[in-house]
Amino acid sequence: MQLDGCIRPSFVQPLPGDRILLVRARNHGGVNAEVWTCDGHRERHGDLGDAIAHVLTTPAGTIWAGYFDEAMAGSGPQTHGLARFTAALEPDWLYPQRPAMPEIFDCYALNLAEETAWTCAYTPFHLVSVTADTPTDHGRAPYRGAHALLTNGVTGAFLSGYGPEYDLVTPFQTEAATVTAAGEQIRLVLPDGMEIRRARTFCRGPELHVIIGETWYRTDLELLGDTRRQR
């Protein structure tokens, strides 16, 4: 499919009806989101805010955006750190800016398990889930600094960290108001045992996708669990 005149996207996500969403990370008062049909027609465009770190869509077609710290200097949905939009690119839900929930200064990690969003953000590094319009604080994560997370809604893993811990995997499990470590930490490596360098990683529910150059690797929580049992 050729999209003539589309924005240069930082994120590409599917939408129902064989449509695709294109989003540019930076935006200073213009358009940075477009919805295109499968026949190459631009259906609509809009503004999802500036300083976008993550964009994920759900099977129902809702759009989640997580923002990095420069968003705090702007206005609108981006200042909440986490926002949900409709398929029409309109704000639908904003992360509550109140003391009852941990603040989001930089949305380090964002994932979706079906229609539930999961995030772990700088600086509190609490694991937070959002189902419908209700956020739940599961408490402080057993590892601070993870830049991605996998989850099936019950168990999961925090991925990556600062400096030499860039390939660290920390398994966890969740309950209503707690999140705890669920096994020893491991290193994420390529199938041949080599280090993962200069990779792009994407999390979708329990699945991890790693792209290095033109090679696409996939693993999931079950396979990571098998690796832990073998150690």
PDB file of all heavy atoms in Angstrom, residues 7-43:
ATOM      1  N   ILE A   7       2.260  11.841   6.743  1.00  0.00           N
ATOM      2  CA  ILE A   7       3.306  12.324   7.622  1.00  0.00           C
ATOM      3  C   ILE A   7       4.401  11.265   7.728  1.00  0.00           C
ATOM      4  O   ILE A   7       4.180  10.090   7.419  1.00  0.00           O
ATOM      5  CB  ILE A   7       2.750  12.655   9.022  1.00  0.00           C
ATOM      6  CG1 ILE A   7       2.177  11.388   9.685  1.00  0.00           C
ATOM      7  CG2 ILE A   7       1.723  13.764   8.968  1.00  0.00           C
ATOM      8  CD1 ILE A   7       1.754  11.605  11.124  1.00  0.00           C
ATOM      9  N   ARG A   8       5.571  11.671   8.165  1.00  0.00           N
ATOM     10  CA  ARG A   8       6.640  10.717   8.410  1.00  0.00           C
ATOM     11  C   ARG A   8       6.483  10.182   9.826  1.00  0.00           C
ATOM     12  O   ARG A   8       6.765  10.877  10.798  1.00  0.00           O
ATOM     13  CB  ARG A   8       8.005  11.383   8.237  1.00  0.00           C
ATOM     14  CG  ARG A   8       9.164  10.404   8.337  1.00  0.00           C
ATOM     15  CD  ARG A   8      10.468  11.080   7.988  1.00  0.00           C
ATOM     16  NE  ARG A   8      11.587  10.146   8.036  1.00  0.00           N
ATOM     17  CZ  ARG A   8      12.831  10.454   7.731  1.00  0.00           C
ATOM     18  NH1 ARG A   8      13.125  11.701   7.348  1.00  0.00           N
ATOM     19  NH2 ARG A   8      13.788   9.546   7.799  1.00  0.00           N
ATOM     20  N   PRO A   9       6.011   8.934   9.984  1.00  0.00           N
ATOM     21  CA  PRO A   9       5.604   8.483  11.311  1.00  0.00           C
ATOM     22  C   PRO A   9       6.762   7.964  12.161  1.00  0.00           C
ATOM     23  O   PRO A   9       7.728   7.399  11.657  1.00  0.00           O
ATOM     24  CB  PRO A   9       4.616   7.359  10.999  1.00  0.00           C
ATOM     25  CG  PRO A   9       5.139   6.770   9.720  1.00  0.00           C
ATOM     26  CD  PRO A   9       5.695   7.941   8.939  1.00  0.00           C
ATOM     27  N   SER A  10       6.596   8.132  13.463  1.00  0.00           N
ATOM     28  CA  SER A  10       7.453   7.465  14.445  1.00  0.00           C
ATOM     29  C   SER A  10       6.819   6.157  14.894  1.00  0.00           C
ATOM     30  O   SER A  10       7.517   5.253  15.357  1.00  0.00           O
ATOM     31  CB  SER A  10       7.660   8.374  15.659  1.00  0.00           C
ATOM     32  OG  SER A  10       8.102   9.653  15.291  1.00  0.00           O
ATOM     33  N   PHE A  11       5.475   6.068  14.775  1.00  0.00           N
ATOM     34  CA  PHE A  11       4.729   4.896  15.212  1.00  0.00           C
ATOM     35  C   PHE A  11       3.693   4.534  14.155  1.00  0.00           C
ATOM     36  O   PHE A  11       3.060   5.412  13.562  1.00  0.00           O
ATOM     37  CB  PHE A  11       4.009   5.168  16.544  1.00  0.00           C
ATOM     38  CG  PHE A  11       4.879   5.767  17.609  1.00  0.00           C
ATOM     39  CD1 PHE A  11       4.904   7.143  17.810  1.00  0.00           C
ATOM     40  CD2 PHE A  11       5.686   4.963  18.400  1.00  0.00           C
ATOM     41  CE1 PHE A  11       5.700   7.700  18.786  1.00  0.00           C
ATOM     42  CE2 PHE A  11       6.488   5.513  19.382  1.00  0.00           C
ATOM     43  CZ  PHE A  11       6.509   6.881  19.580  1.00  0.00           C
ATOM     44  N   VAL A  12       3.514   3.238  13.939  1.00  0.00           N
ATOM     45  CA  VAL A  12       2.487   2.722  13.036  1.00  0.00           C
ATOM     46  C   VAL A  12       1.718   1.651  13.794  1.00  0.00           C
ATOM     47  O   VAL A  12       2.314   0.707  14.326  1.00  0.00           O
ATOM     48  CB  VAL A  12       3.098   2.125  11.757  1.00  0.00           C
ATOM     49  CG1 VAL A  12       2.000   1.565  10.854  1.00  0.00           C
ATOM     50  CG2 VAL A  12       3.927   3.166  11.007  1.00  0.00           C
ATOM     51  N   GLN A  13       0.392   1.793  13.852  1.00  0.00           N
ATOM     52  CA  GLN A  13      -0.447   0.854  14.592  1.00  0.00           C
ATOM     53  C   GLN A  13      -1.696   0.504  13.785  1.00  0.00           C
ATOM     54  O   GLN A  13      -2.201   1.326  13.005  1.00  0.00           O
ATOM     55  CB  GLN A  13      -0.869   1.461  15.929  1.00  0.00           C
ATOM     56  CG  GLN A  13       0.235   1.540  16.974  1.00  0.00           C
ATOM     57  CD  GLN A  13       0.581   0.174  17.531  1.00  0.00           C
ATOM     58  OE1 GLN A  13      -0.229  -0.491  18.159  1.00  0.00           O
ATOM     59  NE2 GLN A  13       1.826  -0.241  17.293  1.00  0.00           N
ATOM     60  N   PRO A  14      -2.204  -0.737  13.979  1.00  0.00           N
ATOM     61  CA  PRO A  14      -3.424  -1.133  13.261  1.00  0.00           C
ATOM     62  C   PRO A  14      -4.672  -0.599  13.945  1.00  0.00           C
ATOM     63  O   PRO A  14      -4.713  -0.407  15.163  1.00  0.00           O
ATOM     64  CB  PRO A  14      -3.373  -2.661  13.334  1.00  0.00           C
ATOM     65  CG  PRO A  14      -2.679  -2.936  14.640  1.00  0.00           C
ATOM     66  CD  PRO A  14      -1.642  -1.845  14.781  1.00  0.00           C
ATOM     67  N   LEU A  15      -5.717  -0.375  13.136  1.00  0.00           N
ATOM     68  CA  LEU A  15      -7.035  -0.024  13.628  1.00  0.00           C
ATOM     69  C   LEU A  15      -8.060  -0.940  12.963  1.00  0.00           C
ATOM     70  O   LEU A  15      -7.790  -1.485  11.877  1.00  0.00           O
ATOM     71  CB  LEU A  15      -7.367   1.440  13.322  1.00  0.00           C
ATOM     72  CG  LEU A  15      -6.623   2.508  14.137  1.00  0.00           C
ATOM     73  CD1 LEU A  15      -6.906   3.887  13.574  1.00  0.00           C
ATOM     74  CD2 LEU A  15      -7.008   2.438  15.618  1.00  0.00           C
ATOM     75  N   PRO A  16      -9.219  -1.135  13.584  1.00  0.00           N
ATOM     76  CA  PRO A  16     -10.241  -1.987  12.963  1.00  0.00           C
ATOM     77  C   PRO A  16     -10.620  -1.508  11.567  1.00  0.00           C
ATOM     78  O   PRO A  16     -10.475  -0.326  11.236  1.00  0.00           O
ATOM     79  CB  PRO A  16     -11.420  -1.867  13.929  1.00  0.00           C
ATOM     80  CG  PRO A  16     -10.810  -1.505  15.239  1.00  0.00           C
ATOM     81  CD  PRO A  16      -9.634  -0.637  14.908  1.00  0.00           C
ATOM     82  N   GLY A  17     -11.107  -2.438  10.747  1.00  0.00           N
ATOM     83  CA  GLY A  17     -11.502  -2.094   9.384  1.00  0.00           C
ATOM     84  C   GLY A  17     -10.339  -1.965   8.438  1.00  0.00           C
ATOM     85  O   GLY A  17     -10.424  -1.225   7.445  1.00  0.00           O
ATOM     86  N   ASP A  18      -9.227  -2.671   8.735  1.00  0.00           N
ATOM     87  CA  ASP A  18      -8.034  -2.628   7.877  1.00  0.00           C
ATOM     88  C   ASP A  18      -7.499  -1.213   7.704  1.00  0.00           C
ATOM     89  O   ASP A  18      -6.969  -0.858   6.642  1.00  0.00           O
ATOM     90  CB  ASP A  18      -8.332  -3.246   6.506  1.00  0.00           C
ATOM     91  CG  ASP A  18      -8.614  -4.728   6.579  1.00  0.00           C
ATOM     92  OD1 ASP A  18      -8.014  -5.390   7.456  1.00  0.00           O
ATOM     93  OD2 ASP A  18      -9.430  -5.228   5.790  1.00  0.00           O
ATOM     94  N   ARG A  19      -7.631  -0.391   8.745  1.00  0.00           N
ATOM     95  CA  ARG A  19      -7.066   0.950   8.717  1.00  0.00           C
ATOM     96  C   ARG A  19      -5.771   0.966   9.508  1.00  0.00           C
ATOM     97  O   ARG A  19      -5.519   0.087  10.327  1.00  0.00           O
ATOM     98  CB  ARG A  19      -8.057   1.965   9.297  1.00  0.00           C
ATOM     99  CG  ARG A  19      -9.358   2.091   8.510  1.00  0.00           C
ATOM    100  CD  ARG A  19     -10.340   2.958   9.249  1.00  0.00           C
ATOM    101  NE  ARG A  19     -10.636   2.402  10.576  1.00  0.00           N
ATOM    102  CZ  ARG A  19     -11.138   3.112  11.588  1.00  0.00           C
ATOM    103  NH1 ARG A  19     -11.367   4.403  11.448  1.00  0.00           N
ATOM    104  NH2 ARG A  19     -11.396   2.528  12.745  1.00  0.00           N
ATOM    105  N   ILE A  20      -4.954   1.963   9.257  1.00  0.00           N
ATOM    106  CA  ILE A  20      -3.705   2.099   9.997  1.00  0.00           C
ATOM    107  C   ILE A  20      -3.589   3.517  10.560  1.00  0.00           C
ATOM    108  O   ILE A  20      -4.110   4.478   9.991  1.00  0.00           O
ATOM    109  CB  ILE A  20      -2.462   1.768   9.144  1.00  0.00           C
ATOM    110  CG1 ILE A  20      -2.320   2.741   7.971  1.00  0.00           C
ATOM    111  CG2 ILE A  20      -2.494   0.336   8.662  1.00  0.00           C
ATOM    112  CD1 ILE A  20      -0.987   2.607   7.262  1.00  0.00           C
ATOM    113  N   LEU A  21      -2.918   3.582  11.699  1.00  0.00           N
ATOM    114  CA  LEU A  21      -2.678   4.850  12.379  1.00  0.00           C
ATOM    115  C   LEU A  21      -1.206   5.201  12.248  1.00  0.00           C
ATOM    116  O   LEU A  21      -0.330   4.381  12.544  1.00  0.00           O
ATOM    117  CB  LEU A  21      -3.049   4.730  13.853  1.00  0.00           C
ATOM    118  CG  LEU A  21      -2.641   5.884  14.777  1.00  0.00           C
ATOM    119  CD1 LEU A  21      -3.461   7.133  14.467  1.00  0.00           C
ATOM    120  CD2 LEU A  21      -2.794   5.480  16.248  1.00  0.00           C
ATOM    121  N   LEU A  22      -0.930   6.413  11.800  1.00  0.00           N
ATOM    122  CA  LEU A  22       0.433   6.937  11.733  1.00  0.00           C
ATOM    123  C   LEU A  22       0.548   8.078  12.739  1.00  0.00           C
ATOM    124  O   LEU A  22      -0.308   8.962  12.784  1.00  0.00           O
ATOM    125  CB  LEU A  22       0.745   7.468  10.331  1.00  0.00           C
ATOM    126  CG  LEU A  22       0.502   6.547   9.135  1.00  0.00           C
ATOM    127  CD1 LEU A  22       0.904   7.264   7.846  1.00  0.00           C
ATOM    128  CD2 LEU A  22       1.254   5.239   9.283  1.00  0.00           C
ATOM    129  N   VAL A  23       1.616   8.056  13.538  1.00  0.00           N
ATOM    130  CA  VAL A  23       1.810   9.102  14.540  1.00  0.00           C
ATOM    131  C   VAL A  23       3.258   9.554  14.523  1.00  0.00           C
ATOM    132  O   VAL A  23       4.178   8.723  14.527  1.00  0.00           O
ATOM    133  CB  VAL A  23       1.441   8.603  15.952  1.00  0.00           C
ATOM    134  CG1 VAL A  23       1.666   9.713  16.980  1.00  0.00           C
ATOM    135  CG2 VAL A  23      -0.016   8.134  16.005  1.00  0.00           C
ATOM    136  N   ARG A  24       3.464  10.859  14.538  1.00  0.00           N
ATOM    137  CA  ARG A  24       4.798  11.444  14.665  1.00  0.00           C
ATOM    138  C   ARG A  24       5.013  11.828  16.126  1.00  0.00           C
ATOM    139  O   ARG A  24       4.128  12.396  16.766  1.00  0.00           O
ATOM    140  CB  ARG A  24       4.910  12.668  13.766  1.00  0.00           C
ATOM    141  CG  ARG A  24       6.317  13.277  13.685  1.00  0.00           C
ATOM    142  CD  ARG A  24       6.380  14.400  12.661  1.00  0.00           C
ATOM    143  NE  ARG A  24       5.435  15.452  12.961  1.00  0.00           N
ATOM    144  CZ  ARG A  24       4.569  15.947  12.080  1.00  0.00           C
ATOM    145  NH1 ARG A  24       4.502  15.459  10.862  1.00  0.00           N
ATOM    146  NH2 ARG A  24       3.735  16.934  12.429  1.00  0.00           N
ATOM    147  N   ALA A  25       6.193  11.537  16.664  1.00  0.00           N
ATOM    148  CA  ALA A  25       6.454  11.743  18.089  1.00  0.00           C
ATOM    149  C   ALA A  25       6.410  13.211  18.494  1.00  0.00           C
ATOM    150  O   ALA A  25       5.909  13.549  19.567  1.00  0.00           O
ATOM    151  CB  ALA A  25       7.800  11.135  18.473  1.00  0.00           C
ATOM    152  N   ARG A  26       6.924  14.076  17.658  1.00  0.00           N
ATOM    153  CA  ARG A  26       7.001  15.486  18.013  1.00  0.00           C
ATOM    154  C   ARG A  26       5.930  16.276  17.273  1.00  0.00           C
ATOM    155  O   ARG A  26       5.625  16.022  16.114  1.00  0.00           O
ATOM    156  CB  ARG A  26       8.382  16.064  17.683  1.00  0.00           C
ATOM    157  CG  ARG A  26       9.570  15.366  18.349  1.00  0.00           C
ATOM    158  CD  ARG A  26       9.390  15.153  19.854  1.00  0.00           C
ATOM    159  NE  ARG A  26       9.105  16.349  20.615  1.00  0.00           N
ATOM    160  CZ  ARG A  26      10.000  17.026  21.336  1.00  0.00           C
ATOM    161  NH1 ARG A  26      11.259  16.605  21.384  1.00  0.00           N
ATOM    162  NH2 ARG A  26       9.649  18.072  22.037  1.00  0.00           N
ATOM    163  N   ASN A  27       5.386  17.264  17.979  1.00  0.00           N
ATOM    164  CA  ASN A  27       4.359  18.108  17.386  1.00  0.00           C
ATOM    165  C   ASN A  27       4.314  19.425  18.144  1.00  0.00           C
ATOM    166  O   ASN A  27       4.188  19.435  19.365  1.00  0.00           O
ATOM    167  CB  ASN A  27       2.989  17.424  17.450  1.00  0.00           C
ATOM    168  CG  ASN A  27       1.926  18.192  16.674  1.00  0.00           C
ATOM    169  OD1 ASN A  27       2.245  18.893  15.733  1.00  0.00           O
ATOM    170  ND2 ASN A  27       0.681  18.048  17.077  1.00  0.00           N
ATOM    171  N   HIS A  28       4.422  20.508  17.415  1.00  0.00           N
ATOM    172  CA  HIS A  28       4.410  21.831  18.031  1.00  0.00           C
ATOM    173  C   HIS A  28       3.254  22.649  17.453  1.00  0.00           C
ATOM    174  O   HIS A  28       3.446  23.623  16.726  1.00  0.00           O
ATOM    175  CB  HIS A  28       5.750  22.543  17.825  1.00  0.00           C
ATOM    176  CG  HIS A  28       6.922  21.792  18.392  1.00  0.00           C
ATOM    177  ND1 HIS A  28       7.177  21.711  19.747  1.00  0.00           N
ATOM    178  CD2 HIS A  28       7.888  21.042  17.797  1.00  0.00           C
ATOM    179  CE1 HIS A  28       8.255  20.992  19.962  1.00  0.00           C
ATOM    180  NE2 HIS A  28       8.711  20.559  18.798  1.00  0.00           N
ATOM    181  N   GLY A  29       2.036  22.195  17.757  1.00  0.00           N
ATOM    182  CA  GLY A  29       0.866  22.965  17.356  1.00  0.00           C
ATOM    183  C   GLY A  29       0.305  22.608  15.998  1.00  0.00           C
ATOM    184  O   GLY A  29      -0.418  23.427  15.413  1.00  0.00           O
ATOM    185  N   GLY A  30       0.584  21.435  15.475  1.00  0.00           N
ATOM    186  CA  GLY A  30       0.045  21.045  14.174  1.00  0.00           C
ATOM    187  C   GLY A  30      -0.569  19.667  14.211  1.00  0.00           C
ATOM    188  O   GLY A  30      -1.078  19.217  15.237  1.00  0.00           O
ATOM    189  N   VAL A  31      -0.498  18.987  13.067  1.00  0.00           N
ATOM    190  CA  VAL A  31      -1.036  17.634  12.940  1.00  0.00           C
ATOM    191  C   VAL A  31       0.101  16.626  13.102  1.00  0.00           C
ATOM    192  O   VAL A  31       1.157  16.775  12.500  1.00  0.00           O
ATOM    193  CB  VAL A  31      -1.705  17.447  11.559  1.00  0.00           C
ATOM    194  CG1 VAL A  31      -2.033  15.992  11.300  1.00  0.00           C
ATOM    195  CG2 VAL A  31      -2.964  18.307  11.459  1.00  0.00           C
ATOM    196  N   ASN A  32      -0.099  15.621  13.943  1.00  0.00           N
ATOM    197  CA  ASN A  32       0.924  14.579  14.056  1.00  0.00           C
ATOM    198  C   ASN A  32       0.323  13.175  14.085  1.00  0.00           C
ATOM    199  O   ASN A  32       1.015  12.211  14.410  1.00  0.00           O
ATOM    200  CB  ASN A  32       1.799  14.798  15.297  1.00  0.00           C
ATOM    201  CG  ASN A  32       1.072  14.502  16.595  1.00  0.00           C
ATOM    202  OD1 ASN A  32      -0.149  14.636  16.684  1.00  0.00           O
ATOM    203  ND2 ASN A  32       1.830  14.111  17.610  1.00  0.00           N
ATOM    204  N   ALA A  33      -0.965  13.048  13.733  1.00  0.00           N
ATOM    205  CA  ALA A  33      -1.610  11.736  13.682  1.00  0.00           C
ATOM    206  C   ALA A  33      -2.533  11.668  12.473  1.00  0.00           C
ATOM    207  O   ALA A  33      -3.279  12.626  12.195  1.00  0.00           O
ATOM    208  CB  ALA A  33      -2.396  11.473  14.960  1.00  0.00           C
ATOM    209  N   GLU A  34      -2.485  10.544  11.770  1.00  0.00           N
ATOM    210  CA  GLU A  34      -3.332  10.339  10.601  1.00  0.00           C
ATOM    211  C   GLU A  34      -3.878   8.917  10.601  1.00  0.00           C
ATOM    212  O   GLU A  34      -3.173   7.972  10.990  1.00  0.00           O
ATOM    213  CB  GLU A  34      -2.557  10.569   9.299  1.00  0.00           C
ATOM    214  CG  GLU A  34      -2.055  11.992   9.124  1.00  0.00           C
ATOM    215  CD  GLU A  34      -1.229  12.165   7.854  1.00  0.00           C
ATOM    216  OE1 GLU A  34      -0.743  11.135   7.327  1.00  0.00           O
ATOM    217  OE2 GLU A  34      -1.076  13.313   7.402  1.00  0.00           O
ATOM    218  N   VAL A  35      -5.115   8.759  10.152  1.00  0.00           N
ATOM    219  CA  VAL A  35      -5.727   7.451   9.954  1.00  0.00           C
ATOM    220  C   VAL A  35      -5.932   7.245   8.459  1.00  0.00           C
ATOM    221  O   VAL A  35      -6.541   8.086   7.792  1.00  0.00           O
ATOM    222  CB  VAL A  35      -7.072   7.339  10.699  1.00  0.00           C
ATOM    223  CG1 VAL A  35      -7.736   5.990  10.399  1.00  0.00           C
ATOM    224  CG2 VAL A  35      -6.877   7.509  12.208  1.00  0.00           C
ATOM    225  N   TRP A  36      -5.391   6.129   7.951  1.00  0.00           N
ATOM    226  CA  TRP A  36      -5.459   5.818   6.534  1.00  0.00           C
ATOM    227  C   TRP A  36      -6.227   4.516   6.319  1.00  0.00           C
ATOM    228  O   TRP A  36      -6.132   3.584   7.129  1.00  0.00           O
ATOM    229  CB  TRP A  36      -4.055   5.677   5.942  1.00  0.00           C
ATOM    230  CG  TRP A  36      -3.315   6.971   5.839  1.00  0.00           C
ATOM    231  CD1 TRP A  36      -2.737   7.674   6.862  1.00  0.00           C
ATOM    232  CD2 TRP A  36      -3.088   7.737   4.654  1.00  0.00           C
ATOM    233  NE1 TRP A  36      -2.147   8.824   6.397  1.00  0.00           N
ATOM    234  CE2 TRP A  36      -2.343   8.885   5.031  1.00  0.00           C
ATOM    235  CE3 TRP A  36      -3.416   7.565   3.314  1.00  0.00           C
ATOM    236  CZ2 TRP A  36      -1.945   9.850   4.118  1.00  0.00           C
ATOM    237  CZ3 TRP A  36      -3.014   8.530   2.393  1.00  0.00           C
ATOM    238  CH2 TRP A  36      -2.287   9.653   2.791  1.00  0.00           C
ATOM    239  N   THR A  37      -6.972   4.459   5.226  1.00  0.00           N
ATOM    240  CA  THR A  37      -7.685   3.236   4.867  1.00  0.00           C
ATOM    241  C   THR A  37      -6.773   2.330   4.067  1.00  0.00           C
ATOM    242  O   THR A  37      -5.694   2.742   3.605  1.00  0.00           O
ATOM    243  CB  THR A  37      -8.933   3.557   4.039  1.00  0.00           C
ATOM    244  OG1 THR A  37      -8.528   4.176   2.797  1.00  0.00           O
ATOM    245  CG2 THR A  37      -9.860   4.511   4.801  1.00  0.00           C
ATOM    246  N   CYS A  38      -7.218   1.073   3.869  1.00  0.00           N
ATOM    247  CA  CYS A  38      -6.379   0.098   3.172  1.00  0.00           C
ATOM    248  C   CYS A  38      -6.197   0.413   1.699  1.00  0.00           C
ATOM    249  O   CYS A  38      -5.300  -0.121   1.051  1.00  0.00           O
ATOM    250  CB  CYS A  38      -6.949  -1.309   3.348  1.00  0.00           C
ATOM    251  SG  CYS A  38      -8.601  -1.513   2.676  1.00  0.00           S
ATOM    252  N   ASP A  39      -7.032   1.294   1.140  1.00  0.00           N
ATOM    253  CA  ASP A  39      -6.879   1.660  -0.269  1.00  0.00           C
ATOM    254  C   ASP A  39      -6.098   2.959  -0.449  1.00  0.00           C
ATOM    255  O   ASP A  39      -6.085   3.566  -1.527  1.00  0.00           O
ATOM    256  CB  ASP A  39      -8.240   1.763  -0.959  1.00  0.00           C
ATOM    257  CG  ASP A  39      -9.163   2.786  -0.299  1.00  0.00           C
ATOM    258  OD1 ASP A  39      -8.737   3.419   0.695  1.00  0.00           O
ATOM    259  OD2 ASP A  39     -10.299   2.947  -0.775  1.00  0.00           O
ATOM    260  N   GLY A  40      -5.415   3.413   0.627  1.00  0.00           N
ATOM    261  CA  GLY A  40      -4.542   4.572   0.521  1.00  0.00           C
ATOM    262  C   GLY A  40      -5.241   5.910   0.638  1.00  0.00           C
ATOM    263  O   GLY A  40      -4.735   6.929   0.169  1.00  0.00           O
ATOM    264  N   HIS A  41      -6.391   5.942   1.306  1.00  0.00           N
ATOM    265  CA  HIS A  41      -7.132   7.187   1.506  1.00  0.00           C
ATOM    266  C   HIS A  41      -6.953   7.673   2.938  1.00  0.00           C
ATOM    267  O   HIS A  41      -7.138   6.909   3.887  1.00  0.00           O
ATOM    268  CB  HIS A  41      -8.627   6.971   1.222  1.00  0.00           C
ATOM    269  CG  HIS A  41      -9.488   8.136   1.595  1.00  0.00           C
ATOM    270  ND1 HIS A  41      -9.458   9.332   0.908  1.00  0.00           N
ATOM    271  CD2 HIS A  41     -10.402   8.292   2.604  1.00  0.00           C
ATOM    272  CE1 HIS A  41     -10.310  10.170   1.465  1.00  0.00           C
ATOM    273  NE2 HIS A  41     -10.897   9.569   2.494  1.00  0.00           N
ATOM    274  N   ARG A  42      -6.592   8.946   3.087  1.00  0.00           N
ATOM    275  CA  ARG A  42      -6.468   9.515   4.429  1.00  0.00           C
ATOM    276  C   ARG A  42      -7.861   9.843   4.944  1.00  0.00           C
ATOM    277  O   ARG A  42      -8.549  10.723   4.423  1.00  0.00           O
ATOM    278  CB  ARG A  42      -5.598  10.766   4.421  1.00  0.00           C
ATOM    279  CG  ARG A  42      -5.386  11.345   5.833  1.00  0.00           C
ATOM    280  CD  ARG A  42      -4.323  12.421   5.864  1.00  0.00           C
ATOM    281  NE  ARG A  42      -4.615  13.481   4.923  1.00  0.00           N
ATOM    282  CZ  ARG A  42      -3.728  14.389   4.522  1.00  0.00           C
ATOM    283  NH1 ARG A  42      -2.486  14.338   4.965  1.00  0.00           N
ATOM    284  NH2 ARG A  42      -4.072  15.323   3.666  1.00  0.00           N
ATOM    285  N   GLU A  43      -8.252   9.125   6.002  1.00  0.00           N
ATOM    286  CA  GLU A  43      -9.608   9.254   6.528  1.00  0.00           C
ATOM    287  C   GLU A  43      -9.752  10.449   7.449  1.00  0.00           C
ATOM    288  O   GLU A  43     -10.780  11.132   7.455  1.00  0.00           O
ATOM    289  CB  GLU A  43      -9.966   7.964   7.264  1.00  0.00           C
ATOM    290  CG  GLU A  43     -11.390   7.854   7.740  1.00  0.00           C
ATOM    291  CD  GLU A  43     -11.668   6.494   8.337  1.00  0.00           C
ATOM    292  OE1 GLU A  43     -11.374   6.298   9.534  1.00  0.00           O
ATOM    293  OE2 GLU A  43     -12.165   5.619   7.604  1.00  0.00           O
TER     294      GLU A  43
END
